[in-house]
């Protein structure tokens, strides 16, 4: 097995290194397939020169621009026009009413669809447009924002991986208290990460699966998070069997046989939940489905093949200094979960009702969630393009600072432009390119970006220009919101059905799966509610990512059910071995409490790494999932599921064979 993995990694390492080359973070890669703005962006990309790169050069002085400032602006913009192939007329200044700001909108098609060329264009403009002595000069607009966003995404991979590895390493050292053992699961997770990147690259080349910075980052988190969870469960079982069995090989065979059903069901549930994202219309959500599923499957393969092989080869000494000797008994001590189980067993109704009320109260915080995040608020650390947008928003409160793109059939272009000019809220219409039966023009709105006034103008343009497509950044944000609403109505029911089916097959019951799913749905609501109490007041976020509800639901349902699976599977095992309902429930809590708690802490910690990333959407997703996993670990699995199982007794296994009372047993 070790030789096989060496061969696999020899092939996988070169392929994994190419994943960054196919990672795409352009607008089209995140837009919904069916939206107007997506169609507009694709047609723009097919026009001569490819996609336009639209920028705005902003000159600003707080006390008002001087004559020297205006001369500097004219000289620098003339130099930009001379050294770059700009579209349309020579850039002209648009002064603000208060005299503090000049903006120069510019566009070019010269970079075409080459992202590096677009970056070079924006960087070249920034090299020319310089301020000083109180004059602020910033380059904004969608082209500059895309460049800044691409730089942020390209910088995610290294810090995300290193921070995740460090967090997992520290937790494993604390859990195992061994100078060697902690390193084995970490190495196996690293091998799984390499394999997952190689497989994802293969899927991209063979089937065109979209790989974005968001999806590849989440895949790494999943590999280390769930991989470590599976390792903790298997190592705990292996340690138990080493006390009963002389040969490590035999002990591992028994441990794998006992742990495999729960681990396989866990991985299957998470992978199935992730694949449900394929039903989404939003490209970013749909692309995350297969990459996340690949990460989970690769983590599973590493932890049920590579990890056991390494542990068997190293033998008992890998547990030093706490080596489990054959025939020895673990220290008998009254652990925390014994006390918790006794407390829950005495008052199961009070515990269940109190826990449900607590989750419900936390879920009320959802009402405090901020509205959809605007583009200028999507970074936790502000790049130049965002600074430019803020200056423009303050200096031009009654004027749009970025154009709305319209793609019309070429034979109706003049009529479309005339209709656009007469649309309420439109202040200017500027011609673009015409080719391949399509004509492009740009509309300036009276309303600032992503305001109710601009949204009303975009809707009016779409209603008044049949056969045309309205795109641009603000239209894209509008489509993102609508598509996320549509996706929630489709993906959430599919995810619930898939998870329920797997649980029914594993637990051979209808009641237990419904109990687990209801619990994780309640956790999702509570975690979002905590987000509503924290995002704005504590973290300073000015909006919520439109995809947060859907992605957090899929992840929390799939991942949260894991710990219920581990608990219920052990409970079922105890019942099959002859334990009564109460003994099986409390015995399962006692035996799995420590390992599941450790697994939950590790998984929550890995997702909390996303909170250190400079993108609000990743920070919010990491926060909600981490909080949800902790709620599930410490509240739901420990108290609510246990108390519900105690109250239901054998009925929790209905209609399976275990639901029927044993001879002489009541209930």
């Amino acid at each position: 097995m070790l030789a096989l993995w060496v061969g696999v990694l020899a092939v996988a390492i070169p392929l994994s290194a190419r994943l960054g080359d196919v990672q795409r973070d352009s607008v089209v890669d995140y837009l919904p397939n069916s939206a107007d703005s997506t169609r507009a962006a694709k047609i723009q990309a097919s026009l001569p020169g490819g996609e336009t790169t639209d920028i705005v050069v902003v000159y600003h002085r707080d006390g008002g621009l001087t004559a020297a400032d205006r001369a500097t602006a004219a000289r620098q913009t003339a130099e930009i026009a001379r050294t770059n192939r700009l579209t349309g007329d020579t850039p002209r200044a648009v002064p603000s009413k208060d005299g503090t700001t000049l903006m120069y909108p510019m566009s070019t098609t010269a970079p075409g669809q080459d992202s590096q060329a677009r970056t070079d264009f924006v960087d070249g403009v920034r090299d020319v447009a310089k301020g000083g002595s109180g004059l602020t000069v910033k380059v904004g607009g969608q082209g500059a924002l895309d460049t800044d966003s691409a730089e942020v995404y390209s910088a995610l991979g290294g810090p995300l991986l290193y921070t995740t590895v460090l967090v997992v390493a520290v937790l494993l050292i604390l859990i195992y208290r061994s100078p060697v053992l902690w390193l084995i699961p970490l190495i196996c997770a690293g091998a799984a990460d390499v394999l997952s990147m190689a497989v994802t690259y293969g899927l991209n080349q063979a089937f065109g699966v979209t790989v974005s910075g968001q999806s590849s980052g989440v895949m790494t988190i999943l590999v280390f998070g769930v991989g470590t969870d599976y390792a903790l469960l298997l190592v705990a079982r292996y340690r138990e069997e080493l006390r009963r069995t002389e040969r490590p090989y035999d002990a591992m065979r028994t441990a794998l046989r006992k742990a495999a059903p729960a681990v396989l069901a866990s991985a299957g549930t998470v992978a199935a939940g992730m694949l449900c994202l394929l039903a989404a219309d939003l490209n970013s959500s749909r692309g995350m489905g297969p990459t996340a599923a690949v990460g989970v499957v690769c983590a599973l393969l590493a932890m049920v093949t590579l990890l056991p092989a390494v542990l068997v080869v190293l033998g008992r000494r890998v547990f030093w200094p706490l080596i489990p000797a054959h025939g020895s008994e673990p220290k008998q001590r009254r652990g925390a979960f014994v006390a918790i189980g006794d407390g829950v067993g005495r008052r199961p109704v009070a515990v269940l009702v109190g826990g449900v009320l607590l989750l419900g109260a936390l879920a009320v915080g959802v009402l405090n969630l901020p509205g959809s995040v605007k583009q200028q608020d999507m970074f936790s650390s502000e790049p130049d393009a965002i600074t430019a947008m803020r200056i423009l928003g303050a200096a031009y409160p009654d004027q749009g600072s970025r154009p709305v793109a319209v793609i019309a059939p070429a034979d109706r272009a003049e009529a479309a432009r005339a209709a656009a000019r007469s649309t309420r809220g439109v202040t200017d219409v500027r011609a673009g390119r015409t080719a391949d039966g399509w004509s492009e023009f740009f509309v300036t709105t009276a309303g600032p970006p992503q305001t109710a006034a601009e949204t009303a103008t975009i809707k009016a343009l779409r209603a008044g220009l049949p056969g045309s497509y309205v795109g641009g950044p603000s239209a894209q944000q509008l489509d993102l919101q609508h598509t996320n609403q549509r996706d929630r109505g489709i993906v959430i029911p599919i995810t619930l059905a898939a998870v329920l089916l797997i649980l029914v097959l594993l637990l051979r019951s209808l009641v237990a799966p419904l109990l687990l799913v209801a619990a994780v749905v309640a956790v999702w609501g509570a975690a979002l509610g905590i987000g509503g109490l924290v995002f704005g007041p504590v973290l300073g976020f000015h909006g919520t990512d439109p995809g947060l509800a859907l992605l957090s639901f899929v992840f929390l349902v799939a991942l949260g059910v894991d710990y219920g699976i581990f608990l219920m599977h052990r409970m079922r095992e105890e019942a099959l071995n002859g334990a009564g309902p109460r003994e099986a429930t409390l015995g399962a809590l006692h035996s799995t409490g420590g390992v599941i708690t450790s697994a939950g802490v590790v998984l929550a910690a890995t997702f909390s790494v996303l909170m250190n990333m400079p993108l609000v959407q990743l920070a919010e997703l990491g926060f909600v999932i981490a909080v949800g996993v902790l709620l599930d670990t410490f509240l739901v699995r420990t108290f609510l599921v246990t108390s519900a199982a105690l109250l239901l007794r054998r009925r929790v296994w209905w209609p399976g064979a275990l639901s029927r009372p044993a001879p002489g047993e009541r209930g």
Side-chain angles (χ1 to χ4, degrees), residues 608-653:
S608 68
V609 170
L610 291 175
M611 295 179 62
N612 295 321
M613 299 299 105
L615 288 169
V616 167
Q617 64 188 43
L618 290 180
E620 290 178 341
L621 182 64
F623 177 87
V624 171
I625 295 177
V627 168
V629 168
L630 291 176
L631 283 175
D632 192 86
T633 302
F634 289 101
L635 175 62
V636 171
R637 184 260 317 176
T638 304
F639 292 97
L640 302 192
V641 173
T642 301
S643 59
L646 286 171
L647 291 171
L648 290 169
R649 295 180 62 79
R650 288 191 178 273
R651 289 185 293 274
V652 76
W653 305 114

Side-chain angles (χ1 to χ4, degrees), residues 23-298:
Q23 180 176 308
R24 290 158 33 190
D25 292 296
S26 67
V27 172
V28 176
D29 298 317
Y30 283 80
L31 287 176
N33 261 349
S34 59
D36 255 29
S37 56
T38 308
R39 182 63 175 155
K42 289 181 177 178
I43 294 175
Q44 283 181 306
S46 68
L47 293 176
E51 296 177 342
T52 59
T53 301
D54 304 309
I55 63 171
V56 180
V57 184
V58 182
Y59 294 85
H60 173 81
R61 185 183 290 273
D62 287 338
L65 293 169
T66 65
D69 294 337
R70 298 177 190 278
T72 297
R75 184 178 67 255
Q76 290 181 354
T77 53
E79 174 67 13
I80 293 169
R82 186 181 64 80
T83 55
N84 295 277
R85 194 170 63 202
L86 302 180
T87 59
D89 302 327
T90 302
R92 54 187 176 88
V94 181
S96 63
K97 292 180 180 179
D98 61 6
T100 62
T101 310
L102 287 176
M103 71 169 175
Y104 287 82
M106 304 178 189
S107 296
T108 182
T109 60
Q113 299 183 52
D114 185 343
S115 59
Q116 184 57 52
R118 286 198 297 270
T119 299
D120 292 342
F121 166 70
V122 173
D123 291 343
V125 172
R126 284 173 169 165
D127 289 339
V128 175
K130 298 287 188 181
S133 302
L135 176 64
T136 299
V137 182
K138 297 293 181 182
V139 179
Q142 191 61 39
L145 184 60
D146 289 344
T147 296
D148 291 343
S149 299
E151 289 179 0
V152 169
Y153 276 115
S154 64
L156 285 181
L160 185 65
L161 176 62
Y162 306 145
T163 308
T164 303
V165 170
L166 178 62
V167 167
V168 173
V170 170
L171 290 174
L172 286 175
I173 291 172
L174 294 175
I175 291 168
Y176 285 136
R177 291 170 293 169
S178 167
V180 179
L181 183 58
W182 66 272
L183 192 58
I184 309 305
L186 197 62
I187 291 174
C188 294
D193 190 42
V194 170
L195 179 59
S196 66
M197 289 190 289
V199 173
T200 302
Y201 174 77
L203 290 176
N204 173 270
Q205 296 298 294
F207 304 104
V209 172
T210 300
V211 181
S212 66
Q214 184 185 46
S215 62
S216 61
V218 169
M219 181 178 70
T220 294
I221 292 288
L222 272 176
V223 168
F224 279 90
V226 302
T228 304
D229 280 6
Y230 301 154
L232 288 169
L233 189 67
L234 180 61
V235 171
R237 279 285 187 154
Y238 179 50
R239 189 195 293 267
E240 288 181 23
E241 297 304 324
L242 282 174
R243 298 184 186 277
R244 305 188 185 108
T245 309
E246 184 175 358
R247 295 176 62 217
Y249 175 81
D250 295 330
M252 181 57 74
R253 286 184 61 187
T254 304
L256 273 174
R257 188 179 69 250
K258 291 182 176 180
V263 171
L264 289 173
S266 168
T269 303
V270 178
M274 298 301 105
L275 289 176
C276 290
L277 287 170
L278 288 170
D281 189 39
L282 197 65
N283 279 341
S284 56
S285 297
R286 192 176 61 258
M288 187 179 289
T291 57
V294 164
V296 172
V297 172
C298 290

Side-chain angles (χ1 to χ4, degrees), residues 5-19 190-191 194-195 197-198:
W5 268 96
V6 169
V8 167
L9 292 177
V11 175
I13 289 174
L15 294 176
S16 66
R18 300 181 188 175
L19 185 62
V194 170
L195 179 59
M197 289 190 289

Side-chain angles (χ1 to χ4, degrees), residues 537-616:
V538 179
L539 300 180
F541 296 157
H542 299 293
T544 305
D545 179 60
L548 176 65
L550 175 62
L551 293 179
S552 61
F553 179 87
V554 172
F555 277 93
L556 280 178
V557 167
L559 295 171
V561 164
D562 270 13
Y563 303 130
I565 288 175
F566 296 156
L567 176 67
M568 283 291 198
H569 184 267
R570 190 62 178 257
M571 194 186 304
R572 188 172 188 277
E573 184 180 319
E574 298 280 347
L576 288 172
N577 290 334
R582 181 183 177 86
E583 292 75 19
T585 300
L586 297 181
L589 178 64
H590 301 165
S591 58
T592 65
V595 66
I596 295 180
T597 299
S598 299
V601 170
V602 169
L603 189 62
T606 54
F607 271 97
S608 68
V609 170
L610 291 175
M611 295 179 62
N612 295 321
M613 299 299 105
L615 288 169
V616 167

